[in-house]
Every structure is written in C-alpha cells, then in structure tokens.
Amino acid sequence: MWIDPSRPAERALVTHGHADHARSGHGAVWATPETLAIMALRYGTEMGTPVPYGDGFEHGGVKISFHPAGHVLGSAQILLEHAGERVVVTGDYKRRFDPTCTPFEPVACDVLITEATFGLPVFTHPPIEDEIAKLLAARDANVDGCIVVGAYALGKAQRVIAELRRAGYDAPIYIHGAMQKMCDLYAAHNVPLGDLIMATGLAKSELKGAIVIAPPSAMNDRWAQRLPEPITAMASGWMRVRQRARQRNVELPLVISDHADWTELTDTLLELRPSETWITHGRTDALGRWCELHQLKARALDLIGREDEDEG
Amino acid sequence: MQAFAALIDGLIYTRSRDLKIRLIADYLRITPDPDRGWALAALAGTLNIATVKSAAIRAMAEERFDPMLFRMSRDYVGDTAETVALMWPDKSGGDAAPTVSEVIDLLNSTSRARAPAVLAELMDRLDANGRYALLKLATGGMRVGISARLAKTAFGQAFGVSVDDVEEVWHALRPPYTELFVWGEGRTERPDPADSAFFRPFMLAHPLEDGSVHLDEFAAEWKWDGIRIQIASTGGETRLFSRGGDEVTGSFPEIAAAFNNIGVVDGELLVRGDVQGGEAASFNALQQRLGRKNVTAAMQAEYPVFVRLYDILFDGSEDLRGQPWTARRDRLELFTAKLDPARFDLSAVIAARDFEHLAEIRAAAREAAIEGVMLKRRDSLYLAGRKVGLWYKWKREPLVADCVMMYAQRGSGKRSSYYSDYTFGCWTEDGNLLPVGKAYSGFSDEELKWLDRFVRNNTVARFGPVREVEKSLVLEVAFDAVHESKRHKSGVAMRFPRISRLRRDKPAEEADTISALRAMFD
C-alpha cells in the first residue's frame, strides 16, 4: 500500500488530483470521490474506491481514513491508525478560506508527515482579498487591453475565478481551452464559477477589458500573442519574491497559493504538537531548523518525483 | 510611503521604458511636497542617508532572526533588504504608515548607532512592500532599472517642461528639489543654474547606409571606439557625463582634475595603449574602468585614460552651439591647445581628396580604436539628438566568422514566445565547440520563425529557460572586433556580434576555429 506513489503501484492511496500526486496506471486506488472524478477526467477510465471525508476502511490491520486538507477540490489528509498509534499524512494543504473546497481539519496524531513547499520564513501569503483587488484595479486601468492570469489548471484557476465572483465581478471570465473541462467538473461539484467563455479563437476586440485565465505554460507562448495588449499576471505563492516574478516576465504578481505559508505550517505544528514530524516536499531544511528551535522532534523525508516549482 | 512602495514595485515589474516614465510622472504629479522630491532624489541616485548602511540592516536582522533561518532565506531570495522585509513580522495597521519625508527626517536626525532602532520602529508601521521600499530608500540602492536621465525625463513629462531645462537646473538644486516642482507647476520662473557644471544633450549621428556625401559639404574625422563623454567645467567644478547624461566623474577623476579650462566639450574617452605606440588601445581596455564608482591609483596607472575631443559647446560662458561646425572646430583647436596634452588631444580631420579616396583611407585603417569614420556637415549647428542630414557615422566593414549554434533562449517583450537569443561557438584544435558569443539580432522576421522552429525541433537538453540544441546549424556572425577575454572559456570575446546570414548549406564541421578568430585580434 502506497500513498501518492510516483510510479504505478498495485495499491495506491491518493491525497489529491495534482499530477505529481495522482499518477495513472495504479492497480487499486483509494481516494475521495472528487479526486477520483478528477483522475477520471485526466486519465480517462481510471477507477477506484471512493472514500468520503471522515470515512475509513481497514487494510492489513491498519485503519485508513481521509480528512479535508483544504488544498483543492477533493484534497485529503490521510490518517493511519494501528495499535493506538496515529500517523497523519497531510498531502498538500492550506488553512486559508477557499470557496472551492472543504476547509482543512486538524487531526490529532503521534506522527505528522507534513508538506513544506513554502517552508521558509519569507513566505507569508497576504489576504486573497488584497490580491483580487489588485487584479481588479489592473483590469480597470487597462480597459483597452486585457489581463492574462497564469494559474494552475486544477484548483488555482477555479479559486481565482470563485474569488473574483465573491468580490462582485460578474462579467464573463475568459479561460484557456485546457481549463474548460476542469471548470465544468468544479461546477458539477457545486462550485459555481459564473459565466466562463473560451478565449481561444476569439478576436482581439472581443477580449478588450477581459480577465483571461490560462495555465502558466501558455503565458509566454504564442497563444498569448493573440490577446489584445495583455498584462501578464501570475497567481502563485512564489510571486512573493520579486526576482522570481521578474524571472518569469510577470508584470502583475498575485501572491495566491493553495499551500500553507510559513505561519500556517508552524502554527499547525504548534496546534497538533505531534511527538514526531516528518517533513517532505519543499524546504525541509528550514522547517526542520524551526522544529529544532521549538524542541519538536523532526526529520526530513526525501521523496522522489516531486516538482515543487510549478504549482503553488 | 505606500504610494512610493507601489511606484517602486511598479518599476520593478514594468519592462517598457515609456511605461516606467509614465509611472514616475504620475507619481510626481499627484504626490505632495516634499515626498515627491525625496522620491525623485532616490530614483536619480542623489539621496544619501549617512546614518544607514547595509551593515545596519544585517545587524537588525541578526538581532531578530535565527541566523540559520535568515541565511537559508537570504540564499533563496538573493537580496538582503528584501529578505528582511519579507521575514519581518507584520504589525502594520497600528500606527499610521510613515510618509517618505518622515522617514528621511527621522533617519537624518539620528546617529549611526541609533539608526537600526529607528529603522525597526519604522518597519513595524509598514507592510511587506512598504518595508522593502523603506530599506531600499534608506540604503540608497533602488535597483529598479532607472537612470538619473530617465528620472529627469519623467519629471519633464509630468509637468510638460523640456528635459534639457530640467538638466540645466538640476545640479544647482538639492533634494528634495522643492524649487524644481514649484517651477514645474508653473508657479515661478525657472531656477537659475548659476555657477554649476551640468549636462547638455549630445548631438548624434545617423548611420550612412549606402550612398556617399560630397567632401566640400562634409568634413571627415575618425570615429573612435571608446566612451563618448561630455566635460563641463565652470572653473569652480568639473563634471563628466556619459552619453545618457549620467555623471561619471567618479570613474575618471584624473580627467576632471586635469581639465584646466572653462567650457563644455564633447569627446571620446580612451585608454592609452602601449602596444600602439602611445595611441589609443581598444575598447576592451576601457571596459576595465567602466562602471566603477571609485578607482584606485593602481587602476589609474594601469589603464591611463585620455579624451580625444570632437567638438566644443561652450567656450568659457559663450554658447557656441548656434555656430557652424567650421567655426566651432577653429575654437576647439584653440581651446585644446591650452589643455594638458597627456590627457586631451584633438580628433584629427581626415585629409581626403574626395569620397573615393576617403573610402580607401577608411578601408586601410587598422588601428584598434578606430570604429569608422564620422562625416559632419561643415555648416551644421550643434543640435541635440539625431538630426537628418547633418552628421553621419560610417562604420568599418564588420568582421565575419562562421559559428555553430549551441544554445538558445527566449527573447523578451514581443519576442518572448520565440527562441531569439543564440549562443554560438567555434571549434577548438581537438574538435570541441566552445561558446564565443551571443547574438539576438541581424535576422529577418521570417528567419526568426525558421530559427525558432529549428531550436524547438533540435533541442537536446533544457537548463531552465535555456535550450541546448543539436550542434548542426552554422550561423555567419558579423562583429566589429574580437579580443582576448579571460572571462570566457574560449578566451575570445566579440564586440557587437550579430547574425549576418544563416548558413544552412554549410556542415557544422566546416565552421571556423577559435584560432581563426584569434588571428583577427586587433
């Protein structure tokens, strides 16, 4: 039994639908119903056993249950219980409000296996309302052009759209073709995204004053050249660091992340106070140092096949 | 302070020069005095807060943060001020954010010992972007890609005054430049520059494409391969300015010190080279002096600089710009005769019978420091900028070499979706390719499309934004000169390389060798 295996495995527990956690070709898969739907959309006919939040099952004497992680639709922490010992694998998580998914629930445990994508004290994600206001102000200041927002196709794109709606923006939002199906899937899971229009193939004049959401890979490519005087925005936690944003030719950095920032990571550790913490996925050294300073027992767990750059 | 912080961030993320100017102009128009004047000084590099040095910021960080966590963060971010600004716990929202002038007043009125504490109190009143702007303001290094000239251009645009007028009064004023804004808003006459040495815009030349000029109408002189500079002296002070109008006096103090005459002259800064028997050495030697704020006596001795004079704008306080070139040339010759010949000489007029004869002389010129020939209308007045039909530059025929494309990178702006920056190499004796240069111009739009496709279809490895390609495409590269370089593994560096032809017909093995390039050394 593997959790988020990077290679095809006979039995896999999958925390959420991002490609570096949910791979195709496993024998048996256990995941939340939403994650299974995302995997089916991405990989075709993938089947698995749905495990709703709070539910669990037994395997080889270990009780396995899934709990909300607040990262993207369907994302889960996995709790393993055996002989009175509790191990929680957070997967990717965040503690901030997100209208597109169920909020993170702290799960008491002895061993916590935590992510650390933004595990450096320079990473504090500002309130998302401020970032959305920045986006809307840029849109109002450029009614003759458009704003193209780079956002990961699963989760980030839908969150940005939902937050724009929450801020009262009810005009159509234009999306890159690669996002359509995922947005439909979100809508089918009761995450209303309002009026979405495919941007591909539209005349420049039709996109004046528009907000266009596209995967980061399309931003610097020819696809973006069909847009009328686009301002390049990027929704990512990495945008906190100026040089990072400049490297990617971003003109409007939006610090919006689906991962826990430094404060969320450390507050969660203080809240749960596990007797042992294993740190994976990201800046293991800095979070490890913080644990040492706070007399928490911790060690780094190196994983293979993880990409810590493009999401976030 | 928030408005200033927003301006700084805007400048960091904006690539277009015009948009940068607009951002600064908008800020200068709507921000009250004296904040906007301090901001202008910060952008133009004339703000100096003596109590805060970057060591103070490091000290402030070490007092508050775990040294290991700080080091890891600093390594990741790459900038100390930004790291401190981002790590600083957010307490903003209590005390109102300070204004720019409050920051300046507080820091200027404290001592160096007390400054970190004052800075820390200010940090607590700001958000992350405000803290970043505060630290950059306090230490002086804004690093937002703005030259002093650009800041002045933005001021001119903000208030509809000419940048030349701004330039004239600039050096007579001190931060926060209140008089400048009063004048900009039309509330007073232009401030009197009085007895200060300031920059006057250069007269520039168009390239002589094809065709010729008549030497009765045009005078010919050599175009030297150095740094174009202007020397302005009032007798009281002497300043040196680069072509963009930025002051470079500090990089060449011996020139300013040796200039013992009053006036404004235009010339080329060169390094004297022993190898050429006291003549000017190549641009490569001059590069050793470029961009240094302070130079040591050893540097001055190793790379002795002098100025070869082209033109005179002011003789004493007499403005000669309205006189024809012939009259200015006579005055320049008299003026130069009074200067120290070790530091100043005259750019000679070339004696040619006719244009064909000039072409022969130009073709035979082998001296390293000669970039080509200048043709100046004998009746041309000294006019700012590039005016059609007055001055032409006629560069030496470029050198060419056949090189092999090795790496490609995407361009910026309109070209960001194309692989348009190419690194190319030549062969070593034992059959390896080593990079000899990088070029991103010289090809047509059609050729760019073809090159982009070639890169995409022939990628063998990726390193971040860089693609390594199959070593199969020969590029004919044109360049103005090639010289020894310790910085490159190949040991050679080209000046102004550009792609002159795509040699799809030529096998990569037949491209040039590095020793062939060495044979072209000046």
Side-chain angles (χ1 to χ4, degrees):
Chain A
M1 187 78 93
W2 297 78
I3 297 176
D4 292 351
S6 59
R7 271 182 288 233
E10 205 174 312
R11 283 180 290 275
L13 305 172
V14 174
T15 59
H16 67 283
H18 279 143
D20 54 339
H21 294 261
R23 311 252 165 169
S24 66
H26 302 312
V29 172
W30 289 265
T32 62
E34 297 86 351
T35 299
L36 286 176
I38 291 165
M39 290 174 76
L41 178 70
R42 291 196 146 176
Y43 303 129
T45 56
E46 207 92 354
M47 293 296 286
T49 311
V51 187
Y53 292 134
D55 275 15
F57 62 97
E58 283 232 2
H59 181 89
V62 178
K63 188 171 177 246
I64 300 164
S65 56
F66 283 58
H67 306 269
H71 175 59
V72 296
L73 181 69
S75 66
Q77 309 173 72
I78 296 174
L79 168 65
L80 309 170
E81 294 170 89
H82 175 71
E85 192 175 39
R86 293 160 63 90
V87 176
V88 166
V89 179
T90 65
D92 292 341
Y93 79 96
K94 70 172 176 291
R95 313 282 311 251
R96 309 283 178 117
F97 171 74
D98 179 345
T100 69
C101 63
T102 312
F104 177 93
E105 278 173 19
V107 180
C109 57
D110 303 296
V111 175
L112 182 74
I113 305 179
T114 180
E115 69 137 322
T117 306
F118 289 103
L120 272 178
V122 293
F123 290 111
T124 305
H125 308 325
I128 192 166
E129 292 80 6
D130 296 0
E131 304 302 292
I132 294 294
K134 251 167 48 181
L135 172 57
L136 289 173
R139 184 247 163 223
D140 291 344
N142 294 280
V143 286
D144 289 334
C146 71
I147 315 282
V148 54
V149 184
Y152 206 59
L154 163 57
K156 188 70 62 65
Q158 294 77 22
R159 183 174 175 213
V160 169
I161 293 168
E163 286 289 350
L164 280 166
R165 299 307 186 203
R166 198 162 69 90
Y169 185 76
D170 51 14
I173 292 174
Y174 295 82
I175 57 172
H176 185 277
M179 293 176 160
Q180 171 117 51
K181 284 183 178 163
M182 198 58 79
C183 289
D184 290 347
L185 185 147
Y186 266 65
H189 283 82
N190 298 319
V191 181
L193 300 176
D195 191 4
L196 302 182
I197 299 178
M198 285 256 280
T200 314
L202 291 185
K204 283 193 178 186
S205 56
E206 292 177 82
L207 290 168
K208 279 194 174 179
I211 294 176
V212 183
I213 318 275
S217 58
M219 306 280 291
N220 285 330
D221 221 315
R222 254 167 256 164
W223 181 83
Q225 288 194 348
R226 303 195 197 107
L227 304 172
E229 302 191 18
I231 289 182
T232 310
M234 180 77 79
S236 162
W238 304 111
M239 294 298 109
R240 174 89 165 158
V241 175
R242 287 170 178 75
Q243 210 49 42
R244 278 306 185 97
R246 285 178 74 168
Q247 270 166 9
R248 292 190 144 202
N249 286 336
V250 172
E251 295 161 286
L252 178 67
L254 302 172
V255 190
I256 299 177
S257 174
D258 287 330
H259 289 272
D261 69 8
W262 176 257
T263 312
E264 292 168 66
L265 289 169
T266 53
D267 283 357
T268 302
L269 287 172
L270 290 176
E271 180 182 351
L272 296 176
R273 289 209 163 269
S275 49
E276 198 168 322
T277 302
W278 297 358
I279 307 163
T280 70
H281 202 156
R283 300 299 305 231
T284 55
D285 51 356
L287 197 58
R289 170 65 180 167
W290 180 89
C291 288
E292 189 184 317
L293 291 171
H294 289 76
Q295 270 115 43
L296 292 171
K297 193 173 164 195
R299 67 187 180 95
L301 192 64
D302 289 325
L303 292 183
I304 51 162
R306 290 286 184 260
E307 297 148 18
D308 65 351
E309 284 296 294
D310 251 341
E311 58 179 294
Chain B
M1 197 71 197
Q2 293 99 319
F4 178 68
L7 171 66
I8 295 305
D9 275 345
L11 292 173
I12 288 174
Y13 296 121
T14 303
R15 291 188 298 272
S16 139
R17 180 177 181 274
D18 288 351
L19 280 177
K20 285 186 188 209
I21 290 175
R22 203 162 83 201
L23 284 175
I24 302 171
D26 288 347
Y27 173 87
L28 295 179
R29 254 195 313 270
I30 59 177
T31 308
D33 288 317
D35 272 25
R36 56 183 175 179
W38 292 120
L40 182 62
L43 293 174
T46 53
L47 182 68
N48 180 18
I49 296 175
T51 54
V52 185
K53 292 287 162 263
S54 48
I57 293 176
R58 211 162 296 126
M60 200 168 73
E62 275 160 13
E63 199 176 295
R64 277 169 183 77
F65 309 129
D66 172 60
M68 265 177 82
L69 284 177
F70 180 70
R71 184 177 48 74
M72 291 174 191
S73 300
R74 166 71 182 71
D75 287 349
Y76 178 82
V77 174
D79 177 290
T80 300
E82 183 170 8
T83 310
V84 176
L86 291 178
M87 284 180 77
W88 200 268
D90 207 20
K91 294 180 191 158
S92 60
D95 280 344
T99 63
V100 173
S101 40
E102 188 183 350
V103 167
I104 307 267
D105 292 345
L106 281 170
L107 293 176
N108 272 340
S109 60
T110 189
S111 65
R112 200 174 270 215
R114 273 276 302 155
V118 173
L119 208 50
E121 282 166 32
L122 289 167
M123 294 281 278
D124 285 340
R125 294 164 59 189
L126 290 161
D127 66 7
N129 292 344
R131 294 191 292 266
Y132 176 79
L134 168 69
L135 295 180
K136 291 289 170 182
L137 186 73
T139 50
M142 303 302 299
R143 290 178 188 277
V144 288
I146 301 295
S147 69
R149 181 74 177 172
L150 196 85
K152 293 168 201 166
T153 305
F155 179 92
Q157 186 162 318
F159 299 105
V161 295
S162 99
V163 62
D164 299 343
D165 277 348
V166 177
E167 204 67 74
E168 296 223 349
V169 298
W170 182 263
H171 291 295
L173 304 176
R174 293 284 166 266
Y177 301 112
T178 317
E179 305 94 315
L180 194 69
F181 287 95
V182 173
W183 163 63
E185 288 176 342
R187 290 183 275 139
T188 58
E189 292 296 298
R190 201 186 81 172
D192 183 5
D195 191 36
S196 66
F198 58 88
F199 173 72
R200 276 85 171 181
F202 279 101
M203 180 158 179
L204 304 171
H206 279 284
L208 183 73
E209 298 294 357
D210 13 54
S212 66
V213 297
H214 205 288
L215 293 190
D216 288 346
E217 271 180 346
F218 282 83
E221 60 185 47
W222 295 115
K223 176 169 169 51
W224 299 97
D225 188 14
I227 305 171
R228 185 98 179 267
I229 65 155
Q230 182 178 97
I231 307 170
S233 179
T234 59
E237 65 173 355
T238 301
R239 291 171 186 268
L240 273 53
F241 301 97
S242 68
R243 227 189 71 172
D246 290 317
E247 191 175 344
V248 292
T249 318
S251 301
F252 307 99
E254 65 269 51
I255 297 293
F259 194 84
N260 58 350
N261 212 336
I262 296 171
V264 180
V265 291
D266 173 350
E268 196 86 13
L269 191 75
L270 297 159
V271 171
R272 206 171 287 286
D274 299 332
V275 281
Q276 280 105 350
E279 274 305 321
S282 72
F283 186 79
N284 195 31
L286 194 55
Q287 273 188 318
Q288 309 298 323
R289 289 284 297 267
L290 263 177
R292 286 176 197 265
K293 280 245 161 67
N294 296 298
V295 291
T296 60
M299 284 287 293
Q300 293 185 27
E302 192 176 351
Y303 301 103
V305 288
F306 69 103
V307 179
R308 187 151 281 168
L309 297 172
Y310 291 136
D311 214 321
I312 183 162
L313 288 73
F314 282 75
D315 187 350
S317 58
E318 187 189 352
D319 189 347
L320 302 178
R321 289 176 293 180
Q323 300 198 19
W325 177 84
T326 42
R328 293 201 310 277
R329 177 76 197 185
D330 291 344
R331 296 289 288 269
L332 178 67
E333 286 175 12
L334 293 170
F335 190 92
T336 308
K338 289 178 264 179
L339 296 171
D340 175 2
R343 295 290 182 199
F344 305 94
D345 64 16
L346 202 56
S347 181
V349 174
I350 306 169
R353 287 187 302 279
D354 51 30
F355 193 76
E356 287 65 40
H357 185 207
L358 180 65
E360 279 169 34
I361 296 173
R362 169 174 163 274
R366 276 286 151 255
E367 204 185 315
I370 290 177
E371 208 187 306
V373 165
M374 288 295 300
L375 293 158
K376 297 179 174 174
R377 254 189 93 98
R378 295 177 190 274
D379 59 0
S380 60
L381 314 181
Y382 195 97
L383 301 173
R386 261 186 200 94
K387 298 284 183 283
V388 178
L390 299 181
W391 286 12
Y392 291 106
K393 53 187 173 196
W394 190 25
K395 289 200 180 181
R396 247 192 341 195
E397 294 295 334
L399 302 162
V400 291
D402 287 332
C403 307
V404 182
M405 187 195 284
M406 301 180 70
Y407 306 95
Q409 203 171 349
R410 284 179 202 244
S412 56
K414 280 185 186 155
R415 280 192 178 172
S416 57
S417 67
Y418 289 103
Y419 285 88
S420 62
D421 299 6
Y422 312 108
T423 301
F424 43 82
C426 285
W427 297 104
T428 61
E429 294 312 312
D430 44 8
N432 290 316
L433 271 179
L434 286 180
V436 296
K438 197 172 172 185
Y440 36 85
S441 64
F443 35 79
S444 67
D445 288 353
E446 279 311 303
E447 286 173 324
L448 173 58
K449 280 187 190 149
W450 188 89
L451 285 162
D452 177 65
R453 211 161 44 239
F454 172 84
V455 171
R456 290 171 194 266
N457 294 340
N458 292 279
T459 301
V460 295
R462 297 175 192 217
F463 310 94
V466 177
R467 288 190 182 209
E468 181 177 2
V469 298
E470 196 71 53
K471 314 295 179 306
S472 60
L473 179 66
V474 175
L475 303 169
E476 184 186 279
V477 177
F479 46 95
D480 286 1
V482 59
H483 32 243
E484 184 94 48
S485 164
K486 291 193 185 81
R487 260 189 295 179
H488 299 93
K489 205 174 163 193
S490 62
V492 301
M494 290 175 173
R495 180 142 154 81
F496 290 143
R498 61 264 179 194
I499 310 292
S500 59
R501 273 199 294 168
L502 309 185
R503 293 296 306 269
R504 285 176 244 177
D505 55 313
K506 195 163 191 173
E509 307 75 60
E510 291 175 22
D512 279 312
T513 59
I514 288 168
S515 45
L517 283 181
R518 291 185 158 273
M520 296 185 222
F521 278 4
D522 297 325

